[in-house]
Amino acid sequence: MKKFLHVGCGPQRKNNLKGFENWEEVRLDIDPQVNPDIVGTLIDMKGANSESFSALYSSHNIEHVFPHEVPVVLKEFHRVLDNDGFVVITCPDLQSVGAQLASGKLIEPLYESPAGPISAIDIIYGHRGFIANGNHFMAHKSGFTFPVLSALFSEAGFAQTFGAAIPQSYEIWLLAFKSTQSEKTLEDMARKYLP
């Protein structure tokens, strides 16, 4: 069974992760209270051995580190993947959030989430409710557009990226590969792992 690293898993398990149904999941999180397999941070995943995973999944985590730490995070992602490994990552899309800000919407709800209404201010700085309740891990320290995130993965040594911003959900979804893939493989992988 192939093994993937679920980075910044929180309490979530692979049950709802598209494409990873038949994979072995190893959960990594900074918060020991969510009972991860590995307690670690995005910038220091030393509990995960080099080249020991075929994939890495990260949902809404990379925005929790400072901009100067992002290259360190992506090099850690690269390190833990085997030679044919890939990353599935999603994070807020500041370009689509910026369009809402340009129309004057900062605190008006943009959509409803399981955690409650989400406004532009929550997407930019982190969910106000979690932070107000003392969960400072939820603060956002950096932000991305698709071209910027794709370029950062390339600079970290990934051979290829594929994905897009999805303005309707204010998200970026990106696949990053350690080795070059054919056009058909990219399309198949996108159908399998991206929304």
Side-chain angles (χ1 to χ4, degrees), residues 22-149:
N22 297 316
W23 289 65
E24 178 187 343
E25 175 185 36
V26 176
R27 298 168 66 248
L28 180 144
D29 202 275
I30 192 172
D31 186 356
Q33 292 184 7
V34 300
N35 298 314
D37 301 303
I38 301 169
V39 175
T41 69
L42 292 172
I43 57 173
D44 182 7
M45 300 191 310
K46 66 180 168 230
N49 293 331
S50 296
E51 299 182 6
S52 58
F53 296 93
S54 297
L56 182 149
Y57 178 85
S58 177
S59 176
H60 290 269
N61 293 289
I62 198 161
E63 65 272 17
H64 297 285
V65 300
F66 290 110
H68 70 276
E69 295 172 320
V70 172
V72 175
V73 171
L74 299 185
K75 286 185 191 297
E76 278 289 270
F77 286 7
H78 194 274
R79 177 186 67 79
V80 303
L81 290 172
D82 63 31
N83 288 334
D84 294 320
F86 65 95
V87 173
V88 178
I89 188 168
T90 183
C91 66
D93 172 35
L94 289 190
Q95 188 169 352
S96 58
V97 175
Q100 294 299 323
L101 290 174
S103 69
K105 295 180 181 171
L106 177 63
I107 58 172
E108 298 81 0
L110 301 178
Y111 67 93
E112 195 69 32
S113 80
I118 302 296
S119 302
I121 196 168
D122 299 306
I123 298 171
I124 296 168
Y125 297 109
H127 190 279
R128 291 169 288 166
F130 289 130
I131 297 168
N133 287 330
N135 188 347
H136 296 179
F137 296 136
M138 298 301 285
H140 293 183
K141 300 172 183 172
S142 60
F144 306 92
T145 62
F146 180 79
V148 167
L149 186 61

Side-chain angles (χ1 to χ4, degrees), residues 175-190:
L175 287 165
F177 301 89
K178 278 187 83 169
S179 59
T180 303
Q181 307 296 314
S182 70
E183 198 64 36
K184 181 176 181 341
T185 299
L186 289 178
E187 291 170 7
D188 291 346
M189 295 285 281

